[in-house]
Amino acid sequence: MLIIGIAGGTGCGKTTVVNQIVNELSENEVSVISQDSYYKDTSHLTYDERTLINFDHPQSIDFDLLGEHLLALRKGETIQQPVYSFVAHNRTNETIAMQPTKVIIVEGILILTNPTIRDLFDIKIYVHTDSDERLIRRLKRDIAERGRDMEEVLDRYQKTLKPMHQQFIEPTKEYADLIIPNNNYNNVAIGIVRTFIKERLN
């Protein structure tokens, strides 16, 4: 099994890079795990209290459970991946059964901040995008998909997203085996990843 970690700031284009890799593999060869599924359970808090949580801080992620699940998959076991609701700011009562595949891609802004999780990755990738472009993408996504308004998104960006990116996410570049620019010039980097995967699978 090959486990790939893909990190980068919010709105950097991780999903695009993930899709470029996934499209090169057959459906039964690859699975994708999102860091977002592993936000800590906050059922003990009220909705208003949950809205105050800094979800861009490493402490918001249940890295212990993520680590357990990655080790279980590597052993050939099926896991029950949590399902997270961005509307409720909490995990739902549902889980998704995920079976082990030849390639597991783990993507999320904070996945390279945890040493234990980093050590489980066979290759670590950081997707880099200009901060203005990331903000524009975040605005569009949160308004269209997560029911936020512009003022709420901008306020959160200034108070948490930007400082957390500078403190925790940007520094994880140093752990990356490969830094991919999310623009028209990333084809070579994607090609390197594809070659690495094919060589390991063979």
Side-chain angles (χ1 to χ4, degrees), residues 6-7 13 18 34 37-38 40 45 69 79 81 89 92 98 101 107-108 129 148 160 165-166 170 176 179 191 193 201:
I6 301 181
V18 168
S34 173
S37 298
Y38 290 85
K40 291 179 178 175
L45 301 176
H69 281 181
I79 65 166
Q81 182 177 336
H89 297 289
T92 68
M98 177 178 287
T101 51
E107 66 86 17
T129 302
R148 314 281 197 257
T160 60
H165 179 84
Q166 293 171 335
E170 185 81 16
I179 297 174
V193 177
L201 292 182

Side-chain angles (χ1 to χ4, degrees), residues 1 5 13 19 23 32 39-40 46 57 83 117 120 132 151 154 172 176 181:
M1 176 182 288
N19 290 338
N23 291 339
V32 179
Y39 282 118
K40 291 179 178 175
T46 67
H57 193 286
V83 176
I117 300 300
L120 294 175
D132 290 342
E151 185 176 347
L154 290 175
T172 62

Side-chain angles (χ1 to χ4, degrees), residues 1-3 26 28-31 99-104 201:
M1 176 182 288
L2 187 66
I3 303 180
S26 61
N28 62 349
E29 284 185 318
V30 61
S31 301
Q99 297 180 339
T101 51
K102 291 182 179 179
V103 179
I104 302 286
L201 292 182

Side-chain angles (χ1 to χ4, degrees), residues 2-34:
L2 187 66
I3 303 180
I4 301 172
I6 301 181
T10 182
C12 71
K14 291 184 295 297
T15 302
T16 300
V17 172
V18 168
N19 290 338
Q20 286 176 299
I21 297 171
V22 168
N23 291 339
E24 291 293 310
L25 301 165
S26 61
E27 189 175 330
N28 62 349
E29 284 185 318
V30 61
S31 301
V32 179
I33 294 178
S34 173

